Amino acid sequence: MEVKPFLKWVGGKRKLIPQLEAKFPKYIKSKEFTYVEPFLGGGAVFFYLITKYNIKKAYLNDLNDKLIDCYHNVRDHSERLIEQLKKLEKDYYSFEDRKSYYYEKRDEFNYSKLSIKKSALLIFLNKTGFNGMYRENSKGEYNIPVGSMNNPLICDEDLIQNISNVLNNNDIEFFSKSFEELIIDEKNIFYYLDPPYMPISKTSSFTDYTSKNRYKNDIELQNKICEYCCKIDCSDSFFLQSNSYQPDFFKGIYDNRFFFDKLEVTRTIGADGSKRNKIHEILIGNF
């Protein structure tokens, strides 16, 4: 049974799983554990762990309430979601002006309330929009332009059903709140953090991911993430964090308190295809 992200997501970790797995705390490989992911996104690490390891309970969070509602609808209303996705897919391929159809559905997504239909539209926009990106303007409106793929797979029925089965057959709770609020009162929990990265340039800020972002700038956000990691450490639990490769900056704010490592990454989503080369990311952990 194939279980993998059903959405494309900028910064997704699916291709990095082998490198990340080598850095996971050893105890999760031999016994049951509780798992927390405060920045869920496409959920590549979670989907891998839930099929390969013994998670007794998972707490999954993302500040994007449209995304979390989509997970709810995949779990609770998969058949109705698939039905609506099939209709969107059929209409999209039969529409002569696909660009106009995309923008019509983008407007519909922005002005509709949380619902199965809105989740179907989110998946549709994710598959047909530019490079699988998600971004909101100050009004909370999704504003990614149409993409250029000729024949995107919009409704992956088998994958959605498989994920629905996994979400229904395991003890999983979803949240849409600020990450600092997600501290579980237990010991020996494994937290994996894939937060908005510290920008490596003035044009690479991730603070427009959602209009609900409460931080004034990227440095304030990274300092709050540091405080969160220190709380996890003080609660006798374990964390592993991915971020952009800026060792001097991170060793400064973490005061060399934890371990630092680096991964080699190939960019697969970006505005400029010529820049899809190998870069490094930093790993920060307390074990």
Side-chain angles (χ1 to χ4, degrees), residues 4-9 12 39-45 47 62 67 71:
K4 63 180 182 180
F6 62 93
L7 294 169
K8 298 185 289 182
W9 215 255
F39 305 92
L40 182 59
V45 173
F47 286 125
D62 199 283
L67 174 63
Y71 278 103

Side-chain angles (χ1 to χ4, degrees), residues 219-230:
I219 293 178
E220 182 183 6
L221 171 61
Q222 297 303 326
N223 277 303
K224 288 295 182 182
I225 294 170
C226 176
E227 292 177 14
Y228 182 70
C229 290
C230 291

Side-chain angles (χ1 to χ4, degrees), residues 13-31:
K13 293 298 181 288
R14 190 177 176 209
K15 293 184 178 180
L16 292 180
I17 293 294
Q19 293 186 72
L20 288 172
E21 186 173 26
K23 307 298 180 181
F24 290 163
K26 292 181 180 179
Y27 81 95
I28 74 169
K29 301 177 182 180
S30 59
K31 62 181 180 180

Side-chain angles (χ1 to χ4, degrees), residues 196-239:
Y197 280 15
M198 181 64 187
I200 57 176
S201 69
K202 293 181 179 179
T203 59
S204 62
S205 175
F206 290 91
T207 55
D208 55 359
Y209 166 62
T210 171
S211 60
K212 293 170 65 178
N213 175 51
R214 64 171 69 178
Y215 300 104
K216 297 177 182 178
N217 54 56
D218 295 288
I219 293 178
E220 182 183 6
L221 171 61
Q222 297 303 326
N223 277 303
K224 288 295 182 182
I225 294 170
C226 176
E227 292 177 14
Y228 182 70
C229 290
C230 291
K231 287 181 181 179
I232 294 171
D233 186 57
C234 290
S235 68
D236 294 324
S237 287
F238 305 91
F239 77 86

Side-chain angles (χ1 to χ4, degrees), residues 262-280:
K262 69 178 178 180
L263 301 182
E264 188 174 84
V265 181
T266 301
R267 289 189 183 277
T268 57
I269 297 179
D272 185 348
S274 67
K275 294 182 179 179
R276 296 181 186 185
N277 53 1
K278 291 184 177 180
I279 61 168
H280 289 107

Side-chain angles (χ1 to χ4, degrees), residues 72 113 224:
H72 283 150
K113 296 181 180 179
K224 288 295 182 182

Side-chain angles (χ1 to χ4, degrees), residues 189-201:
I189 296 174
F190 177 39
Y191 293 73
Y192 174 65
L193 286 72
D194 187 22
Y197 280 15
M198 181 64 187
I200 57 176
S201 69

